[in-house]
């Protein structure tokens, strides 16, 4: 008889070492529940990144905390991080998302939780994120 493998999802804002970082919550992506993890705190930020390089900067890195599927966050990821894990972000900085609205890129301010569109040439921080589904969701 095969024993079922039980996956324990940690409490919000707690380490999830098997998944490479800190669990910041779950959200629907294409109709499926995805759990979202950040690799850790500001030491994982890429600084002074123009919007045109957001995805490239995150993808340039090698494996991080045992995973290679890190990606640039979208606006919803950053808002989830602001709600559940803002203490892991630089509150005096804006963070790029990979999201755009009518051709304008979006960024999130971690001091007030403000989202705004900015010029593509502005330079802000970007943090890798990863999201995944679990077979028992």
């Amino acid at each position: 008889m095969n024993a079922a493998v039980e996956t324990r999802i940690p409490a919000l804002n707690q380490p999830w070492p098997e998944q490479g970082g800190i669990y910041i919550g779950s959200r629907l992506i294409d109709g499926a529940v995805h759990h979202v993890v950040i690799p850790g705190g500001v030491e994982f930020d890429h600084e002074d990144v123009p919007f045109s390089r957001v995805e490239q900067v995150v993808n340039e890195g090698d494996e991080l905390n045992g995973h290679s599927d890190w990606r640039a966050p979208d606006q919803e990821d950053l808002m989830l991080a602001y709600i559940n894990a803002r203490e892991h972000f630089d509150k005096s900085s804006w963070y790029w998302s990979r999201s755009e609205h009518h051709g304008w890129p979006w960024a999130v301010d971690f001091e007030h939780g403000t989202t705004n569109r900015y010029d593509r040439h502005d330079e802000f921080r970007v943090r890798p994120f990863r999201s995944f589904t679990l077979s028992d969701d």
Side-chain angles (χ1 to χ4, degrees):
M1 178 176 171
N2 291 335
V5 175
E6 185 176 331
T7 301
R8 296 214 183 259
I9 299 169
L12 289 174
N13 203 12
Q14 294 301 306
W16 196 351
E18 302 83 10
Q19 297 299 338
I22 299 168
Y23 179 57
I24 65 166
S26 62
R27 57 179 285 247
L28 287 177
I29 299 175
D30 297 327
V33 174
H34 282 245
H35 299 282
V36 183
V37 171
I38 57 173
V42 295
E43 68 273 16
F44 293 96
D45 288 351
H46 300 278
E47 297 182 54
D48 303 323
V49 178
F51 182 76
S52 63
R53 296 204 63 238
V54 165
E55 301 248 20
Q56 180 183 359
V57 165
V58 171
N59 292 331
E60 283 174 350
D62 293 325
E63 189 174 276
L64 180 60
N65 295 346
H67 296 275
S68 59
D69 59 347
W70 297 93
R71 60 173 174 74
D74 55 29
Q75 183 180 356
E76 290 85 356
D77 290 323
L78 288 172
M79 293 310 300
L80 187 66
Y82 176 77
I83 292 166
N84 294 329
R86 75 185 79 141
E87 62 272 18
H88 298 288
F89 291 80
D90 183 339
K91 288 168 197 58
S92 65
S93 295
W94 285 81
Y95 284 79
W96 276 126
S97 77
R98 63 183 177 169
S99 302
E100 295 183 63
H101 183 67
H102 297 296
W104 288 92
W106 285 87
V108 174
D109 161 39
F110 272 80
E111 182 174 4
H112 304 289
T114 307
T115 60
N116 207 346
R117 60 186 186 171
Y118 279 91
D119 186 276
R120 295 175 176 282
H121 303 293
D122 289 333
E123 294 182 349
F124 298 131
R125 291 175 180 255
V126 66
R127 169 91 52 92
F129 278 61
R130 67 182 298 263
S131 62
F132 50 90
T133 62
L134 296 176
S135 60
D136 56 87
D137 278 350

